[in-house]
Amino acid sequence: MSAIARVMLEMGYTVTGSDVASQELTEKLAAKGAKIYIGHTAEQVHGADIVVYSTALPKDNVERVKAEELGIPVLHRSQMLARLLNERTGVAVAGAHGKTTTSSMIALVMEQCGTEPTYIIGGEIMDIGTNAKAGKGKCVVAEADESDGSFLQYHPSLGIVTNIEADHLENYGGDFGRLKDAYVQFLNQIKPDGKAVVCGDDRNVRDLLPSLACQIVTYGIDTSCDYMADHIQLGDRKVVFTMKQGGHPLGQIKLSVPGKHNVYNAMATVIVCLEAGIPFADIAEAIQHFHGAKRRFQVLGEEQGILIIDDYAHHPTEIEATITAAKATGKKIIAVFQPQRYSRTYFLLDAFSRAFSEADEVIITDIYSPAGEKQIEGVSSSKLVELIKLNSNAGARYLPTKQDVIADLQGRLQSGDLVLTMGAGDIWKVGHELAKSLS
């Protein structure tokens, strides 16, 4: 929402908006000229030409109700984004994992290479300091969110799918097949002269390929694809690999972010930027300057040999990839995970329980549940800890609150420790508090 608001401001529109609390992004919007209200009241929509809302906002919200009474068009966030993306050369990044990092990486490389893209991204790009910009170029780079089906609003020129997993099934009637059908529809909505850029190593992605009518470009490491990564060297907060096309080396890619998962993100970025007409050498130079998006393996502090890292990982696959990337530091990994949503924890309970084998210590906090979500009987963090002890890490512990975690860790961290906070809720506050106390 903040990204769309920022782009509309930069395009010259008058923007007002409301949120339940003031935060860094709302303050940045106010500094750009937006009128920000804290709290929702009916009067705040008076005079608007369009009212845009997020999935989190219920139908009975007073501002939505008043807008409809006044005959003001009311658009979902994705519909507003579609108006921007579909009119130009849209680059829509979809997938269970890696959307924010890949779209941020594409935006940064395009920006550094002078193509002046418009970008609208869910996370702040660390090297630019913002999550959105109205550029003068033809490309619009954005995340395409499958969680609520909103990615079906888009008709991009380049549609990227990083991977597909059984997540957000509560929005698909618990049916993974319906989710996969949605991906097929998304990719078949690519413009006639456009292309699907997809990860060929992902089995669920491969299963969809026969159903696609568009041009397809594949990338991978372990499966024969149009573009391949070879000679991969994983290091402490860095990766080096060789990119090949049709078996022929294009050159070396050096990344300033860790992990095999970022090799995939970088490959998608390189392909998109090549399709946009940027020479490989320029891409390889620019991509080195990408240091991640906010809450994506974000280093919060490094003092006295103790490293504090925060990550948005909220799915078992993401947790495993993030812990594996952290292991490359050579430090003792203390993984602190805050589950998000009872529904996700219910559907993925067994997979979560098997995701922590590479950590040296595991701490699980209470489930972070959005307002209005009903608790599911038998689904709890203490139950998850029991299963983690059985399936992946016998040393797992349950500490209910963020304050409990801070109190537990503050007095005993020592040189060689790495605290890794993970989750889509507010567990990042633990990392920030620990980093603050260290410094």
Side-chain angles (χ1 to χ4, degrees):
M1 289 292 288
S2 65
I4 294 171
R6 185 183 181 98
V7 166
M8 302 310 289
L9 278 168
E10 291 182 356
M11 291 173 72
Y13 292 94
T14 299
V15 176
T16 67
S18 54
D19 208 335
V20 293
S22 179
Q23 53 171 305
E24 186 181 353
L25 282 172
T26 56
E27 289 166 8
K28 285 185 175 182
L29 285 172
K32 291 281 288 185
K35 172 68 175 174
I36 305 295
Y37 302 104
I38 301 304
H40 300 284
T41 62
E43 301 78 46
Q44 288 164 190
V45 302
H46 283 279
D49 295 304
I50 295 175
V51 170
V52 185
Y53 69 94
S54 75
T55 303
L57 209 67
K59 288 182 179 179
D60 61 358
N61 175 271
V62 290
E63 293 184 22
R64 283 184 67 177
V65 171
K66 177 53 73 172
E68 286 163 4
E69 284 177 5
L70 295 173
I72 301 170
V74 178
L75 301 182
H76 183 265
R77 168 191 55 78
S78 62
Q79 294 171 305
M80 191 70 229
L81 177 52
R83 290 190 174 197
L84 298 167
L85 187 139
N86 294 347
E87 290 176 2
R88 291 156 79 179
T89 303
V91 178
V93 183
H97 323 297
K99 288 189 292 292
T100 298
T101 299
T102 304
S103 52
S104 298
M105 204 180 273
I106 292 167
L108 179 87
V109 172
M110 285 187 169
E111 181 91 342
Q112 295 245 331
C113 293
T115 63
E116 297 192 68
T118 293
Y119 51 88
I120 297 169
I121 295 167
E124 194 171 296
I125 306 171
M126 299 296 291
D127 308 272
I128 299 177
T130 183
N131 60 341
K133 180 183 176 182
K136 297 176 182 176
K138 63 182 181 178
C139 288
V140 178
V141 182
E143 294 178 51
D145 190 1
E146 86 290 354
S147 66
D148 55 3
S150 60
F151 67 161
L152 299 180
Q153 300 286 339
Y154 310 137
H155 295 265
S157 297
L158 291 170
I160 296 89
V161 176
T162 57
N163 40 63
I164 299 173
E165 290 215 27
D167 198 5
H168 307 291
L169 295 185
E170 68 276 7
N171 293 322
Y172 292 88
D175 185 348
F176 188 26
R178 280 178 56 188
L179 174 59
K180 289 193 278 190
D181 288 344
Y183 274 101
V184 170
Q185 184 180 336
F186 164 69
L187 291 172
N188 280 333
Q189 289 176 183
I190 290 171
K191 291 175 181 175
D193 59 346
K195 292 179 182 178
V197 179
V198 301
C199 181
D201 279 1
D202 187 276
R203 179 175 56 83
N204 291 318
V205 172
R206 290 199 306 272
D207 289 345
L208 305 188
L209 299 185
S211 303
L212 301 184
C214 56
Q215 294 184 69
I216 303 166
V217 179
T218 57
Y219 62 92
I221 298 170
D222 304 315
T223 310
S224 180
C225 293
D226 299 316
Y227 289 84
M228 302 283 292
D230 200 5
H231 302 110
I232 299 170
Q233 302 167 51
L234 303 175
D236 179 4
R237 286 165 275 175
K238 61 184 179 182
V239 183
V240 179
F241 67 95
T242 299
M243 185 100 167
K244 292 183 174 181
Q245 180 185 16
H248 303 291
L250 292 173
Q252 194 175 69
I253 295 290
K254 296 178 180 179
L255 302 178
S256 303
V257 287
K260 184 179 178 182
H261 60 293
N262 273 317
V263 174
Y264 289 111
N265 297 335
M267 292 179 78
T269 297
V270 171
I271 296 165
V272 166
C273 292
L274 287 171
E275 291 288 338
I278 303 172
F280 180 85
D282 293 350
I283 298 168
E285 170 61 31
I287 207 167
Q288 294 182 73
H289 300 289
F290 179 77
H291 292 89
K294 202 168 187 179
R295 297 220 62 217
R296 272 69 179 179
F297 213 84
Q298 182 184 357
V299 176
L300 302 180
E302 189 168 12
E303 299 281 346
Q304 307 157 42
I306 302 167
L307 184 58
I308 312 292
I309 290 175
D310 177 57
D311 197 274
Y312 192 67
H314 58 286
H315 184 282
T317 303
E318 294 169 344
I319 291 167
E320 287 187 82
T322 304
I323 294 173
T324 299
K327 292 290 280 188
T329 63
K331 293 182 178 291
K332 174 187 173 184
I333 309 300
I334 303 169
V336 181
F337 176 58
Q338 178 190 55
Q340 190 223 18
R341 294 186 178 275
Y342 288 101
S343 55
R344 176 181 286 118
T345 309
Y346 169 77
F347 280 117
L348 300 173
L349 193 60
D350 183 68
F352 275 126
S353 76
R354 300 177 189 279
F356 294 91
S357 60
E358 291 293 305
D360 297 288
E361 281 190 41
V362 178
I363 296 171
I364 307 294
T365 72
D366 277 333
I367 294 170
Y368 182 93
S369 179
E373 191 195 25
K374 293 181 180 178
Q375 189 167 349
I376 299 173
E377 188 176 347
V379 177
S380 68
S381 291
S382 55
K383 175 66 174 176
L384 176 57
V385 167
E386 288 176 21
L387 291 172
I388 292 171
K389 286 181 176 180
L390 283 173
N391 294 332
S392 66
N393 200 304
R397 294 185 297 141
Y398 168 53
L399 294 177
T401 71
K402 297 186 292 294
Q403 283 64 41
D404 292 331
V405 178
I406 293 166
D408 177 80
L409 294 177
Q410 223 161 23
R412 67 181 179 91
L413 291 178
Q414 53 190 4
S415 181
D417 288 347
L418 189 163
V419 178
L420 180 60
T421 55
M422 294 179 289
D426 61 358
I427 193 64
W428 55 269
K429 294 177 180 177
V430 169
H432 280 273
E433 186 62 35
L434 290 173
K436 183 179 175 184
S437 66
L438 280 178
S439 63

